[in-house]
Amino acid sequence: EIVLTQSPGTLSLSPGERATLSCRASQSVSSTHLAWYQQKPGQAPRFLIYGASSRATGIPDRFRGSGSGTDFTLTISRLEPEDFAVYYCQQSGSSSRTFGQGTKLEIK
Amino acid sequence: QVQLQESGPGLVKPSGTLSLTCAVSGVSISSSNWWSWVRQPPGRGLEWIGEVYYTGSANYNPSLKSRVTIAVDKSNNQFSLRLSSVTAADTAVYYCARLGYYYDSGTYYYSFDYWGQGTLVTVSS
């Protein structure tokens, strides 16, 4: 099973700042199988990024995914108030899909 | 517009069996996608439970495999989850989701692109 480790656990930033979230895999993951999701309290996860770097329909261009192999990054260039949430990376590269434990992005 | 809707009992007794159904609309469940269950214990992260293809082929989380069955019902365009021998540790919000794929320039991309709103299942006597 591929384990995804996200860091930091919590990130405290102010609106307008840049956020950098990390996702590290226990073994190499094909970029085509790496996705990111956003979740707000009481809501289902929202699909953000597929293929490590492609934005899903309707996702603002301030969200950018990058990385390959075992290291992936989600960058939010200028934080808006609605961006404060929990973010998860997820891999579908093996028949056992896995999620990272999440990074909570909170208002400083 | 693809929509998924979970249904089932919100309370299950310890040692009992949790049973949920996910109704799919806007797309045929016989399309080339895997249909999945994901759960989230209160205050914790997301855990993939397993998935089923329209042919009935299924994959499961190794940590839950001995207790899980996911099946597809093509006639009703829905799929189901059964989790046996439940304990309080199985208390969670259960989501159904589609593992969709995108095809671009010879490459397939996979991700959970549609989700149900989730249903809370509590295991308690």
Side-chain angles (χ1 to χ4, degrees):
Chain A
E1 178 178 286
I2 298 175
V3 176
L4 299 178
T5 303
Q6 294 186 240
S7 61
T10 301
L11 186 58
S12 299
L13 294 170
S14 300
E17 291 193 296
R18 179 188 184 95
T20 302
L21 288 66
S22 174
C23 175
R24 177 162 290 177
S26 59
Q27 58 188 278
S28 185
V29 174
S30 170
S31 297
T32 60
H33 293 88
L34 196 288
W36 290 90
Y37 306 85
Q38 175 195 68
Q39 189 180 34
K40 296 180 179 179
Q43 297 184 16
R46 176 194 184 194
F47 173 40
L48 290 180
I49 300 284
Y50 66 95
S53 60
S54 298
R55 284 184 298 277
T57 302
I59 302 303
D61 60 8
R62 64 180 181 272
F63 290 88
R64 186 172 72 87
S66 61
S68 63
T70 59
D71 290 293
F72 298 89
T73 301
L74 176 68
T75 302
I76 311 171
S77 56
R78 297 170 307 280
L79 285 166
E80 298 287 344
E82 62 267 27
D83 298 336
F84 292 91
V86 180
Y87 292 84
Y88 295 93
C89 58
Q90 177 265 324
Q91 68 80 27
S92 304
S94 68
S95 60
S96 183
R97 327 299 183 181
T98 53
F99 290 89
Q101 84 279 17
T103 289
K104 182 179 182 180
L105 179 56
E106 65 177 23
I107 298 177
K108 187 174 181 180
Chain B
Q1 174 82 352
V2 178
Q3 293 186 312
L4 291 82
Q5 177 71 56
E6 306 90 349
S7 62
L11 181 64
V12 181
K13 294 187 187 308
S15 77
T17 297
L18 180 159
S19 296
L20 295 174
T21 297
C22 181
V24 178
S25 60
V27 67
S28 170
I29 204 162
S30 298
S31 58
S32 300
N33 297 286
W34 288 89
W35 302 94
S36 303
W37 289 96
V38 176
R39 71 179 182 179
Q40 185 170 38
R44 301 187 64 181
L46 301 168
E47 179 182 35
W48 178 75
I49 299 170
E51 63 192 12
V52 67
Y53 200 60
Y54 75 94
T55 57
S57 179
N59 297 310
Y60 301 121
N61 186 322
S63 68
L64 298 169
K65 188 173 184 177
S66 63
R67 300 194 290 132
V68 174
T69 302
I70 298 176
V72 64
D73 177 359
K74 289 182 285 185
S75 61
N76 289 302
N77 215 48
Q78 63 187 26
F79 62 106
S80 63
L81 167 69
R82 287 174 56 87
L83 180 66
S84 63
S85 305
V86 297
T87 69
D90 294 309
T91 293
V93 174
Y94 285 76
Y95 296 99
C96 56
R98 184 181 83 164
L99 185 70
Y101 68 92
Y102 300 85
Y103 180 75
D104 183 22
S105 302
T107 301
Y108 286 90
Y109 301 85
Y110 295 89
S111 52
F112 292 109
D113 55 358
Y114 291 97
W115 296 71
Q117 87 280 8
T119 186
L120 174 63
V121 179
T122 301
V123 178
S124 175
S125 56

